[in-house]
Amino acid sequence: MTTLTSPPGGAAIRHPAPPATTGRTGTPRQGGTILAIPALVWYAVFMIGPVIAIFVIAALHWPGMLQPVSFAGLGNVRTVLDDPVFWDAVRNTAVQLAVALPIMIVCAYMLGYYVAQKPPGHRVIRYLLFIPGLISTPAKAMVFYAALSPDGLANGALQSVGLGSLTDAWLASPSTALACLIALDVWSGIGFTAVLFAARLDSVPDDLGEAAQLDGAGHWRTMWRIHFPVIRDYVGVVTMLQFLWTLFGSAQHVLLLTQGGPGSSSTTLSFLVYQKAFIAADLGYSQTVGVILFLAGLVGLLAIRRAFRQNY
Amino acid sequence: MKLGKRWLPAHILVWTYAVLLIVPLYYFLASAFKSNEEIFAHPFALPESFGFGNFRTAYDSADLGTAVVNSALVTVLALALTLLLALPAAFALARSTGRLASAMEQVFSLGFLIPTFAALFPTFLLAAATGLFHTRLFMVFFLPATAMPLSVVILVQFMRTIPREMEEAARMDGASTYTVLRHIYIPMCLPGIATVLLLNFLTFWNEYLYSLIIIGPDPEQRTVQVALPTLKAITGTDYGVLTAGTVLTLIPVWVVYTVLQKRMQQALINGAVKA
């Protein structure tokens, strides 16, 4: 992205002879590209290499680190597709995305809009909203572990308001384990996303909202009909990010909080990749799911991009 | 803009969320000073005494001292390496107009699409192949690679705003490429460098899954984030110790955030939206 810092007229005065300028600096610029090589090599060795390796390993039959490796072709795909646990993981991941994404984006947009209007106390809110973005995954998981344990915060709160009958072992119950993971995503995701939206909304000219309100539009209308279309592209970008974070990032929360259980009730696709590689030691299977996850990410990105491009 | 009475529901909802953010953190902070009995009996009450017993136990039982040193070491070295690689690269890409340079820039930006997580197992193989498995050193090498796309893209954007005339004037005075980078680009990009440093500080300090697999459970090598969850197993269900340990790992980030609040927010915003 290039930014025009001076008007065309001013630039013309400062460069009386533009062709000479380009000619003079042409040589050192060419030589300079070499400086990008170390970064590129580093990046290729540690990032691109391993990503390509996922596809190779996915085509191998490799039942454990020290086991003989043989070529499996599409054999792993068949094994994976025949495994009911894989389909549980697909279902859990789908539920997770279908619930967490819309809640997160809609709430974060409204919250961001609220903060961008600078109501009383908006500085405090801004400070607070960032907190989940700063806390590491293990720390977040520990917060939820302590809050949702049988003697924890959630049950304590329920008991103190006389709803003791609703208490549960939240993380250990098949019906609530996945919901807890989704709650963790939403809890920590809304605040951070809201600040992103607030930052973008800050740069929308004030006149736009004021003009709409003079024309008799209420806040609700201004928020969704005026501001939303203006930053629609940005909402798309943030949705894509959250989609990727949710899709790929859930493994850590699952590992720390529920280990995918009870049964496979909270196994997500990304946790399955981890679990098959490092616990079950079925490496071909693991990386096949990795490839599927990769493709799901790609398809999802394209779909979200399309959804936010149309009607624009 | 006027905020009329009709904003009341909005105020209520927003502050409810704020409370939802604060309450678990308050509960956490308060529990760090309490015993289990105190936590169960009065989850929301202020602790009866502000002794540091839980912190001491957490610190000792999970070797948090070594872990903090390890984390700091990995974070600082990885940050230095990131800048060492990204600065020249961004410098080269920002000044070049050639097709090769724009292709390279494309390659870096495509990095955003790579799910680093999925490559966990191949990275593990790479660590084993290089003989650096179960060492902090591999993380020092690996983390900058993951930070490269973001760092290069942000730095290129900052460097593009530097007027060409600055460099041309220096060139006339006989400055070498290195001098131009060292004395013109780096000083003028300090805000960009700060953004990259803060952003990567957070990611590097908070990195969990890769550290868990690559560095492993050795208390001599492991980072804070790996040591922290072990408290759950070591202490059984002593929530006071568990929360105290967690609070300890949050302190560095919280201090940096409070001191550099504005800058940190800007960095996080810039970083998240990358393009």
Side-chain angles (χ1 to χ4, degrees):
Chain A
M1 241 203 316
T2 21
T3 26
L4 267 179
T5 40
S6 53
I13 297 163
R14 251 186 271 159
H15 301 280
T21 316
T22 12
R24 200 172 59 230
T25 45
T27 340
R29 265 187 231 157
Q30 281 308 315
T33 311
I34 289 180
L35 290 173
I37 302 289
L40 202 62
V41 169
W42 210 271
Y43 172 61
V45 169
F46 289 98
M47 295 275 298
I48 302 176
V51 168
I52 294 170
I54 299 175
F55 288 85
V56 177
I57 300 171
L60 299 175
H61 180 66
W62 196 354
M65 270 310 281
L66 301 172
Q67 300 294 314
V69 177
S70 57
F71 183 72
L74 292 176
N76 283 325
V77 180
R78 210 166 302 127
T79 318
V80 168
L81 294 182
D82 284 343
D83 186 357
V85 175
F86 169 75
W87 291 106
D88 282 346
V90 170
R91 193 188 59 92
N92 289 337
T93 304
V95 169
Q96 191 186 25
L97 287 170
V99 175
L101 263 190
I103 297 182
M104 209 147 36
I105 297 298
V106 170
C107 291
Y109 173 72
M110 298 204 295
L111 189 53
Y113 182 80
Y114 175 89
V115 173
Q117 306 307 309
K118 307 203 170 30
H122 70 99
R123 269 172 225 284
V124 182
I125 296 270
R126 242 178 230 249
Y127 182 88
L128 291 176
L129 291 183
F130 253 119
I131 290 176
L134 303 170
I135 303 178
S136 69
T137 309
K140 257 185 261 181
M142 291 307 114
V143 171
F144 263 64
Y145 173 75
L148 294 173
S149 63
D151 310 308
L153 175 70
N155 285 345
L158 282 175
Q159 237 136 30
S160 64
V161 294
L163 290 169
S165 56
L166 291 178
T167 56
D168 199 349
W170 304 101
L171 289 168
S173 152
S175 52
T176 52
L178 184 64
C180 290
L181 293 167
I182 295 176
L184 174 52
D185 272 344
V186 172
W187 176 77
S188 62
I190 288 181
F192 183 63
T193 316
V195 186
L196 294 181
F197 285 138
R200 178 66 184 86
L201 284 166
D202 278 343
S203 65
V204 175
D206 279 346
D207 336 358
L208 201 65
E210 280 160 18
Q213 301 207 327
L214 281 181
D215 289 346
H219 266 296
W220 190 256
R221 248 187 113 77
T222 321
M223 173 162 72
W224 287 111
R225 290 299 166 89
I226 312 289
H227 282 94
F228 188 79
V230 173
I231 69 157
R232 193 190 171 94
D233 267 4
Y234 190 85
V235 177
V237 172
V238 172
T239 310
M240 285 197 258
L241 283 175
Q242 278 299 352
F243 167 73
L244 286 184
W245 287 337
T246 312
L247 188 63
F248 297 122
S250 63
Q252 311 188 37
H253 292 146
V254 178
L255 176 66
L256 286 160
L257 286 174
T258 68
Q259 306 268 347
S264 56
S265 60
S266 65
T267 301
T268 61
L269 280 177
S270 70
F271 179 70
L272 195 59
V273 176
Y274 176 89
Q275 196 248 335
K276 285 292 173 187
F278 296 101
I279 299 170
D282 191 345
L283 305 168
Y285 184 117
S286 157
Q287 298 307 295
T288 305
V289 179
V291 169
I292 294 172
L293 198 60
F294 187 84
L295 296 177
L298 213 59
V299 171
L301 279 191
L302 293 176
I304 293 170
R305 217 177 135 124
R306 223 193 142 82
F308 281 89
R309 277 280 164 84
Q310 64 187 195
N311 321 318
Y312 185 68
Chain B
M1 216 178 278
K2 263 191 268 166
L3 304 173
K5 270 208 181 112
R6 296 215 273 155
W7 270 61
L8 197 64
H11 292 310
I12 294 172
L13 283 175
V14 169
W15 286 99
T16 308
Y17 180 62
V19 168
L20 281 180
L21 286 177
I22 298 171
V23 166
L25 294 173
Y26 162 76
Y27 168 72
F28 224 67
L29 206 60
S31 300
F33 294 97
K34 293 178 181 173
S35 66
N36 256 7
E37 294 75 51
E38 232 185 311
I39 297 173
F40 299 153
H42 315 281
F44 297 102
L46 274 173
E48 280 162 19
S49 69
F50 285 92
F52 286 95
N54 284 339
F55 290 92
R56 187 112 294 256
T57 315
Y59 191 87
D60 292 339
S61 58
D63 268 317
L64 281 185
T66 326
V68 168
V69 173
N70 287 336
S71 276
L73 213 60
V74 169
T75 306
V76 169
L77 292 178
L79 281 178
L81 189 55
T82 305
L83 278 192
L84 206 65
L85 289 166
L87 275 174
F91 174 60
L93 297 181
R95 300 180 330 138
S96 302
T97 43
R99 204 176 293 168
L100 182 64
S102 65
M104 280 187 188
E105 210 180 331
Q106 281 291 316
V107 172
F108 279 118
S109 349
L110 280 179
F112 295 134
L113 292 178
I114 298 182
T116 24
F117 157 73
L120 181 57
F121 178 68
T123 309
F124 158 81
L125 288 182
L126 184 65
T130 49
L132 294 173
F133 183 53
H134 277 180
T135 64
R136 291 162 293 188
L137 189 61
F138 187 83
M139 287 308 284
V140 172
F141 288 153
F142 171 72
L143 288 173
T146 62
M148 219 29 72
L150 184 61
S151 310
V152 169
V153 166
I154 289 180
L155 287 173
V156 164
Q157 277 177 20
F158 270 89
M159 288 186 174
R160 288 246 163 89
T161 63
I162 294 172
R164 289 207 177 282
E165 290 85 348
M166 300 275 299
E167 180 175 354
E168 280 156 22
R171 289 272 178 201
M172 301 258 246
D173 293 340
S176 68
T177 306
Y178 171 75
T179 320
V180 171
L181 171 62
R182 173 82 184 69
H183 291 285
I184 299 178
Y185 276 79
I186 290 183
M188 290 191 72
C189 287
L190 283 181
I193 295 175
T195 303
V196 168
L197 280 179
L198 281 176
L199 210 58
N200 290 332
F201 161 71
L202 264 191
T203 355
F204 294 174
W205 180 269
N206 286 342
E207 210 296 317
Y208 171 62
L209 205 54
Y210 275 82
S211 308
L212 176 71
I213 294 299
I214 306 280
I215 303 183
D218 178 9
E220 291 300 312
Q221 299 270 332
R222 71 183 177 194
T223 60
V224 197
Q225 308 302 346
V226 181
L228 180 60
T230 62
L231 271 180
K232 202 168 82 178
I234 297 169
T235 63
T237 45
D238 192 336
Y239 295 109
V241 174
L242 181 67
T243 52
T246 310
V247 169
L248 279 179
T249 70
L250 293 177
I251 289 173
V253 174
W254 183 78
V255 168
V256 173
Y257 177 54
T258 306
V259 174
L260 301 171
Q261 207 201 121
K262 264 260 152 65
R263 174 130 273 168
M264 191 95 153
Q265 294 196 353
Q266 206 49 54
L268 285 172
I269 288 163
N270 285 345
V273 190
K274 297 155 188 182

